[in-house]
């Protein structure tokens, strides 16, 4: 069940369709478990919806979809379902108006107030979502696809030039530290929710990392977009990234999975040039993935853009097919799939055609449908 399942589409006076909160569904959930969905499924979806709406109301109200009356219904239904699941949840307000009164009384009205309000809502909902995920994990295994086992510790991505020098600061807790060339890469080390890593969560992290408290959400998103774009090294990669990022500007774009470029999968402290100079063999054939999506329920999707260097050798004007390179690439793909990753490859040549943007949009739509990250409303 998704947050969008709590909306229905109705026509206005001009027969244009728009979303409206399904108050009947909320009332049913408040009274007891739904017929088609468990309390756990409904509670998780509604918690994500209420969290998103309270965040929008406290930061950019043009992004909210609930009215004040609907917010009261949603919060009451959420309290009821969480009570049945024995998940503690007792916010000091009951609707949007109460939320406004609370943040005013707590002094969240001065400079950087948007960040303060967003941070408060994150603190309020993090234990709720974590408990629901714990209940979900204990109830059943992931359905539909395997996903990647283990807990994410660090994501090192968006490398722009020199390879970062990394040390293992604490081997017991797997704490790393970038001690050299830290400005050439980004390190995301926050815990993931069951929803994966969304664009909204990534931009919230970026706001705090870069001390952009006074910037608007759009300014933070643009700042992050430019930094990620700078890590790409070819026109086909840029086209794929720009085409995916078109989706962020649409309604609910913050809830979409974030597309991370140039992500370290393995890390070798030596560069290939250093290994050749020391006459040491390569230990890790693929250090970085071109792109990574961290989707709901532990799913990980790798997108690779293959230039001629992936399957041929020699100077640019006289390249020859290399069965060895091709075999190494296929072996790495098999190893990733066995670990639970999904791998999709694009030829650099196909991404240079005029039809490439439309092809990519169709692919991303199909990917959403495959992994359940699309947020569509149910028609009445």
């Amino acid at each position: 069940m998704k947050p969008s399942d709590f909306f229905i589409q109705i026509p206005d006076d001009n027969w244009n369709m728009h979303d409206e909160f399904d108050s009947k569904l909320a009332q049913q959930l408040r009274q007891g478990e739904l017929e088609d969905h468990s309390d756990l499924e409904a509670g998780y979806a509604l918690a994500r919806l209420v969290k998103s709406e309270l965040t929008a109301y406290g930061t950019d109200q043009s992004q909210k979809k609930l009215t004040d009356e609907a917010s009261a219904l949603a919060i009451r239904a959420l309290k009821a379902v969480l009570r049945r699941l024995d998940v503690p949840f007792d916010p000091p307000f009951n609707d949007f108006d109460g939320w406004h009164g609370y943040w005013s009384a707590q002094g969240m009205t001065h400079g950087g107030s948007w960040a303060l309000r967003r941070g408060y809502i994150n603190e309020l909902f993090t234990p709720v979502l974590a408990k629901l995920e714990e209940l979900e994990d204990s109830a059943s295994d992931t359905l539909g696809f395997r996903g990647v086992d283990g807990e994410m510790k660090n994501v090192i991505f968006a490398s722009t030039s020199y390879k970062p020098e990394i040390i293992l600061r604490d081997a017991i807790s797997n704490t790393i530290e970038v001690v050299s060339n830290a400005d050439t890469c980004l390190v995301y080390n926050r815990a993931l929710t069951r929803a994966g890593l969304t664009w909204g969560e990534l931009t919230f992290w970026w706001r705090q990392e870069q001390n952009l408290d006074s910037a608007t959400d759009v300014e933070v998103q643009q700042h992050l977009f430019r930094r990620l774009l700078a890590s790409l090294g070819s026109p086909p990669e840029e086209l794929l990234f720009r085409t995916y990022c078109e989706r962020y500007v649409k309604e609910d774009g913050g809830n979409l999975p974030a597309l991370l470029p140039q992500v370290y999968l393995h890390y070798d402290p030596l560069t290939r040039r250093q290994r050749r100079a020391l006459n040491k063999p390569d230990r890790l054939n693929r250090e970085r993935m071109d792109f990574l999506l961290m989707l709901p329920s532990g799913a990980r999707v790798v997108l690779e853009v293959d230039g001629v260097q992936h399957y041929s050798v020699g100077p640019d004007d006289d390249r020859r097919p290399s069965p060895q390179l091709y075999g190494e690439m296929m072996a790495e793909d098999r190893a990733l799939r066995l670990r639970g990753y999904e791998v999709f490859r694009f030829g650099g040549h196909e991404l240079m055609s005029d039809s490439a943007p439309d092809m990519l949009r169709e692919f991303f739509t199909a990917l959403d449908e495959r992994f359940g990250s699309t947020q569509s409303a149910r028609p009445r």
Side-chain angles (χ1 to χ4, degrees):
M1 191 173 188
K2 303 183 294 296
S4 57
D5 290 330
F6 285 93
F7 291 91
I8 53 178
Q9 286 193 330
I10 63 171
D12 59 20
D13 293 338
N14 296 319
W15 289 98
N16 295 314
M17 305 300 290
H18 69 276
D19 290 344
E20 182 177 286
F21 185 65
D22 192 340
S23 58
K24 291 183 178 179
L25 182 63
Q27 292 285 11
Q28 292 172 7
L29 183 60
R30 185 184 176 194
Q31 294 168 5
E33 191 169 60
L34 301 177
E35 182 177 347
D36 298 329
H37 298 282
S38 69
D39 272 349
L40 188 55
E41 293 175 302
Y44 188 74
L46 186 56
R48 289 174 58 198
L49 171 63
V50 173
K51 177 180 181 287
S52 175
E53 288 294 305
L54 289 172
T55 300
Y57 187 80
T59 55
D60 183 2
Q61 295 189 13
S62 66
Q63 299 299 312
K64 73 178 181 68
K65 300 174 69 174
L66 297 181
T67 63
D68 190 64
E69 180 181 1
S71 72
L73 288 172
I75 292 174
R76 283 200 297 270
L78 180 59
K79 285 182 177 179
V81 69
L82 292 180
R83 192 179 305 115
R84 295 196 294 269
L85 292 168
D86 197 26
V87 176
F89 180 66
D90 188 24
F93 46 81
N94 298 314
D95 53 21
F96 282 158
D97 188 55
W99 167 216
H100 184 278
Y102 179 79
W103 86 56
S104 298
Q106 296 298 314
M108 302 182 199
T109 55
H110 50 76
S113 59
W114 280 21
L116 290 174
R117 297 170 202 165
R118 185 184 288 105
Y120 173 79
I121 294 300
N122 280 338
E123 291 178 2
L124 179 65
F125 278 88
T126 294
V128 173
L129 294 173
K131 182 61 177 178
L132 291 173
E133 290 162 9
E134 180 184 335
L135 292 173
E136 184 181 42
D137 289 339
S138 63
S140 63
D141 293 328
T142 299
L143 300 178
F145 46 86
R146 174 185 166 215
V148 177
D149 296 330
E151 178 184 355
M152 186 207 79
K153 297 294 185 182
N154 308 284
V155 182
I156 306 169
F157 64 107
S159 179
T160 54
S161 57
Y162 295 109
K163 186 175 185 176
E165 183 181 350
I166 298 172
I167 63 172
L168 194 59
R169 175 64 66 185
D170 184 342
I172 303 300
S173 61
N174 195 30
T175 301
I176 68 167
E177 181 180 347
V178 181
V179 295
S180 180
N181 299 326
D183 58 336
T184 67
C185 67
L186 305 179
V187 181
Y188 187 91
N189 58 6
R190 298 188 177 183
L192 294 185
T193 69
R194 201 65 175 165
L197 179 59
T198 67
W199 176 243
E201 290 168 332
L202 190 65
T203 54
F204 177 67
W205 164 79
W206 186 246
R207 178 189 291 276
Q208 294 185 322
E209 286 287 307
Q210 300 295 308
N211 297 315
L212 299 175
D213 290 345
S214 61
T216 67
D217 285 349
V218 172
E219 289 171 340
V220 175
Q221 291 170 11
Q222 291 174 341
H223 191 263
L224 175 58
F225 171 80
R226 290 192 294 269
R227 172 60 182 84
L228 299 179
L229 188 66
S231 70
L232 302 179
S234 70
E237 289 180 347
E238 290 187 11
L239 175 67
L240 187 150
F241 187 67
R242 288 180 180 276
T243 304
Y244 184 87
C245 291
E246 292 174 356
R247 304 149 64 82
Y248 294 149
V249 301
K250 299 179 181 179
E251 188 177 10
D252 291 336
N255 293 325
L256 291 173
L259 182 64
L260 304 180
Q262 301 301 313
V263 182
Y264 276 92
L265 172 65
H266 311 297
Y267 184 80
D268 186 338
L270 298 179
T271 65
R272 289 187 175 181
R273 179 176 299 177
Q274 290 170 328
R275 284 196 170 277
R276 286 195 295 269
L278 295 171
N279 197 29
K280 290 179 175 290
D282 286 340
R283 300 298 185 188
L284 302 169
N285 288 325
R286 178 191 295 163
E287 274 200 278
R288 289 190 300 189
M289 299 174 280
D290 289 343
F291 298 98
L292 175 66
L293 287 162
M294 307 180 77
L295 303 178
S297 300
R300 304 286 185 265
V301 171
V302 178
L303 305 180
E304 292 285 345
V305 178
D306 295 339
V308 293
Q309 73 277 8
H310 287 80
Y311 50 81
S312 63
V313 295
D316 290 342
D317 58 351
D318 186 28
R319 297 195 72 90
R320 304 180 307 280
S322 172
Q324 178 182 348
L325 281 181
Y326 181 79
E328 290 173 353
M329 184 171 64
M330 292 300 100
E332 284 291 317
D333 283 0
R334 290 194 301 273
L336 276 177
R337 291 191 178 101
L338 288 173
R339 291 168 57 187
Y341 290 82
E342 295 277 357
V343 183
F344 297 92
R345 290 189 169 276
F346 296 88
H349 180 73
E350 70 172 324
L351 293 182
M352 297 302 292
S353 69
D354 292 340
S355 61
D358 288 337
M359 178 272 292
L360 287 169
R361 293 183 188 106
E362 291 178 4
F363 169 78
F364 290 134
T365 297
L367 196 68
D368 279 344
E369 294 171 353
R370 166 69 178 86
F371 289 97
S373 54
T374 292
Q375 303 206 9
S376 58
R378 293 183 296 115
R380 172 174 281 180

